[in-house]
Structure formats: C-alpha cells, structure tokens
Amino acid sequence: MVEKIEHSHLDVRGISLHIAHIGKGELGTVLFVHGFPEIWYSWRHQMIAAAEAGFKAIAPDLRGYGLSGQPTEPENTTWEDLVADLLAILDSLSIPKVFVVGKDFGAWPAYHLALYHPQRVLGVVTLGVPFIARNLDSDTLPEGFYILRWREPGRAEADFGRFDVRRVVRTIYILFSRVEIPIAERGQEIMDLADSSTPLPQWCTEEDVDVYAALYETSGFRFPLHMPYRSLLKVTAPADPKVEVPALLIMGEKDYVLRFPGMEDYVRSGTVKQFVPDLEIVYVPEGSHFVQEQFPEQVNQLLIDFVKSHL
C-alpha cells in the first residue's frame, strides 16, 4: 500500500519542501508533522488509513529533513519557521482548514499552528508529547541526558561520526523505543548505549531502517541537531496560552517521555488541560515513543474516530 502514496515538491518560503500525499479528501485534510529521527515515512500507516476514511493525507519532510531542502543558514531557523512552512503548504495547496497531527517535537508546530492560527485548524492530535507551555526543565536530569548531550555543539557530531548513518539511525530507534530515558554514563556517549548486535524492536524492520537511513544520507544531521535539540530553549508561547480547538493526546504507557521530570504528573493529573481545555487523553498500555508504528491499527482507529467526530 505504501507505494500508493504520491510525492511532490513545493517551493515555498525560499525552500523546496517534499510532501507525501494520498487520498481525494472528500471529508477534508489531515496534515501530519513528524519528529526525530523520523520523516514522512513514519506516518505511512496513518496516511493510508486517513485516505481510506475519505480524507486527503499530507506528510511533509520538514525543512532540513529527508528530501526537503536545507536552509542556507540552518542555525538561524526558528520554531516559527516550521509553523510558517505548514501554513505555506496549506496556502500552496488551497486548503482552508486541516486536522493537524504531530509526533515528538512535531507536537510543537502542530499545537502552535492551532494556537496562533485557530481559523485554519479543525483539531489537533499529538503523539508522545503533550502541549507544553514552558521549556523542559532538563537541569534536573544528569549531564548524560541525551538532549543535554546533543545540545552541546560538536558533541553529537563527534559521537555520530564514529559510525555510518544507518547505524546512527538504527541506534536511535532502539534507544527511543525503550522505557528508560537515554542517559549516558560518565565517559560514555549516547551511541554507546546500543551496539550492532542489539535487536530492533519487533515492529521495526531492517528495511524500515534502510528507508530512514537513505534519507538521512541525503539530509545529514546538522539541521536535525539544531531543530529540535539546539533550539528547544527558544520555544515560545504566550504567557497564558489556550488552545481552543478540540485535541487528542495519544501516549504510550511505556514512552520514555513520560519519565521526564514532572511529565507523567502533568499529563495524568490533567494539568495539561489548563492550556488545552477540550483535550482527550488516551493511553496505549504497551505503547512506546513510536506508538503509531508499533500499534498502527489502534492509533489509526483513534485518529479516524477523532477527526470524524469533529468535522
């Protein structure tokens, strides 16, 4: 079925953005926003399900990722650029309103699209990351915390540079699918937390890794290290943000993000609903950070039920 997904390039805002798309869109459009180490391919199951349900599904490679163009000055790209890119895609395709679905760091531009341009958004779905009104308090985590390591200029480049691109992508998929937060010990680097003999999670095939690796061979890691890791501290939101559109949060019970300081209480206590009042939260008992690839049928059903109930 994945071969039925079509591919185009849109020249918007001075950059060529690759988009994958499928479906006629009788009921509307669903826009999918990937995280790291992902690209459009991570949404393949959901795109096909959305198309079969009567929607047009669009999944871009964000600027600097996959087959999309590289910014001329990657380190100057802001989170606002990602939101502006999403708007430009909608405008280029003459799409007035969408459901937007974000995974991992893609949750930020997805939510900010809804926050700043609610007239363009029918509803927002995020996987693995809730709406976060302030920056992550990573100072309470040890120095070996992967975000702190990758935020440090040159550190990840040296770590990744010891291996080929495929090995790097494969290792990150292994580490990010675990329950534990990836944290290196003293004298150890993040890539040392798994080796070539470490098996992939059951739902991820070596062929899947080949697809991701091929696109990271094209894009490299310079931009993905900037966006999100080196720009996380620059995520901004209004002092008292309120996302007024309907929202759905899908969290795997075994998603390592729930182990971030304060994260599980923030979600389970309902504090997140102070900022997203019309929020439904669904937990997938065995779900990892890649819940949409791990349990595609369950996530597809949740997604289709949500969008159809908010047409």
Side-chain angles (χ1 to χ4, degrees):
M1 285 292 289
V2 73
E3 64 276 2
K4 293 187 177 180
I5 295 175
E6 300 179 74
H7 300 269
S8 304
H9 278 83
L10 300 176
D11 291 320
V12 296
R13 304 186 64 241
I15 203 162
S16 174
L17 295 180
H18 165 250
I19 64 165
H21 51 97
I22 186 173
K24 293 187 169 65
E26 301 95 332
L27 296 181
T29 302
V30 184
L31 176 65
F32 293 91
V33 188
H34 66 76
F36 178 81
E38 297 158 312
I39 35 88
W40 74 268
Y41 182 77
S42 61
W43 293 117
R44 61 199 179 280
H45 305 299
Q46 288 69 48
M47 294 178 71
I48 292 165
E52 290 176 344
F55 294 87
K56 183 178 184 66
I58 299 172
D61 286 339
L62 295 176
R63 59 169 56 209
Y65 278 80
L67 297 176
S68 286
Q70 296 288 322
T72 52
E73 297 180 327
E75 288 75 14
N76 290 335
T77 299
T78 66
W79 291 88
E80 288 75 16
D81 283 316
L82 300 189
V83 177
D85 286 348
L86 297 180
L87 278 173
I89 289 170
L90 300 184
D91 290 343
S92 179
L93 299 175
S94 300
I95 298 171
K97 282 192 168 190
V98 293
F99 291 97
V100 60
V101 184
K103 157 83 195 314
D104 186 66
F105 84 81
W108 272 290
Y111 262 124
H112 283 200
L113 188 67
L115 188 63
Y116 294 111
H117 306 278
Q119 75 281 4
R120 304 297 297 270
V121 178
L122 292 163
V124 59
V125 180
T126 63
L127 291 78
V129 173
F131 179 82
I132 299 173
R134 60 184 184 280
N135 293 320
L136 172 69
D137 182 16
S138 57
D139 294 338
T140 59
L141 285 162
E143 177 273 337
F145 175 44
Y146 77 98
I147 290 180
L148 294 180
R149 287 286 182 89
W150 291 352
R151 186 182 291 165
E152 185 182 329
R155 184 76 179 255
E157 288 87 339
D159 185 14
F160 291 4
R162 296 178 294 152
F163 308 102
D164 61 34
V165 167
R166 189 184 190 283
R167 170 74 180 275
V168 173
V169 172
R170 188 180 188 278
T171 299
I172 293 170
Y173 256 83
I174 291 168
L175 299 183
F176 284 19
S177 65
R178 293 175 175 172
V179 178
E180 305 85 12
I181 298 172
I183 295 174
E185 300 292 336
R186 186 179 300 276
Q188 186 183 47
E189 296 299 330
I190 297 299
M191 288 295 109
D192 296 328
L193 296 176
D195 61 30
S196 58
S197 68
T198 308
L200 286 164
Q202 287 185 335
W203 46 265
C204 183
T205 69
E206 296 289 354
E207 290 74 23
D208 291 333
V209 175
D210 289 341
V211 174
Y212 289 110
L215 293 186
Y216 278 95
E217 289 277 7
T218 301
S219 68
F221 292 105
R222 181 184 174 189
F223 186 79
L225 286 169
H226 168 71
M227 181 66 70
Y229 302 105
R230 293 171 187 169
S231 52
L232 270 175
L233 294 176
K234 298 176 182 175
V235 181
T236 57
D240 185 26
K242 280 284 191 299
V243 177
E244 301 291 357
V245 302
L248 170 66
L249 170 63
I250 302 172
M251 287 295 307
E253 296 264 14
K254 296 187 176 179
D255 189 329
Y256 74 91
V257 171
L258 278 177
R259 279 72 186 170
F260 283 14
M263 182 67 78
E264 188 157 16
D265 180 65
Y266 174 70
V267 175
R268 290 193 186 276
S269 70
T271 302
V272 61
K273 294 186 181 182
Q274 293 178 11
F275 309 106
V276 191
D278 190 4
L279 175 66
E280 177 187 0
I281 304 172
V282 177
Y283 299 96
V284 180
E286 296 298 315
S288 72
H289 192 56
F290 301 101
V291 66
Q292 88 281 16
E293 294 187 86
Q294 183 184 10
F295 296 113
E297 291 182 4
Q298 186 174 351
V299 170
N300 293 352
Q301 192 63 57
L302 291 168
L303 174 63
I304 300 306
D305 288 348
F306 174 82
V307 296
K308 283 192 169 181
S309 66
H310 292 97
L311 287 172

